[in-house]
Amino acid sequence: MKSSFRRPLDIYRMGKAELMENGLFSEPSQTKFTIEASVQQLRPDEMQALPEGRRGCRAVKVYSDDQLHMPNQMTGQQADRFMWLGVWFEVVASDWYQNNVISHYRAYATEIAGH
């Protein structure tokens, strides 16, 4: 669904690192693509939904028709990243709202320390 509130946002998605024969992991590849998204600051009450170690960081929510990836230790999936207002963010949570009215995805992202 096209919305006048959404703007182009470049997403950086890391591939999975593969275990090589020497026992080390390969450097994962990175893919860049652009989505249409609305990025908004989190309200103070929404900060409680963040993982405990991320509650003191700058945080935003992203509304889009595209699902963003959060980290998954079981599969090795790394979090999607993006830059917004000159600050790098990493996705820490992602939900889908597929209700056949205005279906969309919402992701929470926090500032990447040291970037």
Side-chain angles (χ1 to χ4, degrees), residues 14-20 24-30 78:
M14 299 298 287
K16 295 179 186 168
E18 301 292 330
L19 183 61
M20 299 184 298
L24 300 175
F25 283 92
S26 65
E27 186 69 30
S29 61
Q30 178 176 273
Q78 295 187 36

Side-chain angles (χ1 to χ4, degrees), residues 17-94:
E18 301 292 330
L19 183 61
M20 299 184 298
E21 289 181 19
N22 62 5
L24 300 175
F25 283 92
S26 65
E27 186 69 30
S29 61
Q30 178 176 273
T31 304
K32 176 185 169 187
F33 57 97
T34 303
I35 65 171
E36 293 287 321
S38 172
V39 182
Q40 303 169 17
Q41 297 282 352
L42 285 186
R43 296 186 319 260
D45 63 307
E46 292 174 313
M47 296 292 284
Q48 296 304 314
L50 296 175
E52 193 168 320
R54 303 280 185 125
R55 293 181 189 156
C57 302
R58 283 194 267 189
V60 296
K61 54 189 168 186
V62 179
Y63 292 99
S64 175
D65 291 337
D66 300 281
Q67 184 174 17
L68 298 180
H69 291 179
M70 58 189 218
N72 184 324
Q73 290 182 347
M74 298 293 289
T75 65
Q77 177 66 52
Q78 295 187 36
D80 287 341
R81 296 178 173 195
F82 59 90
M83 182 180 279
W84 185 66
L85 298 179
V87 176
W88 281 99
F89 288 87
E90 179 175 77
V91 174
V92 296
S94 183

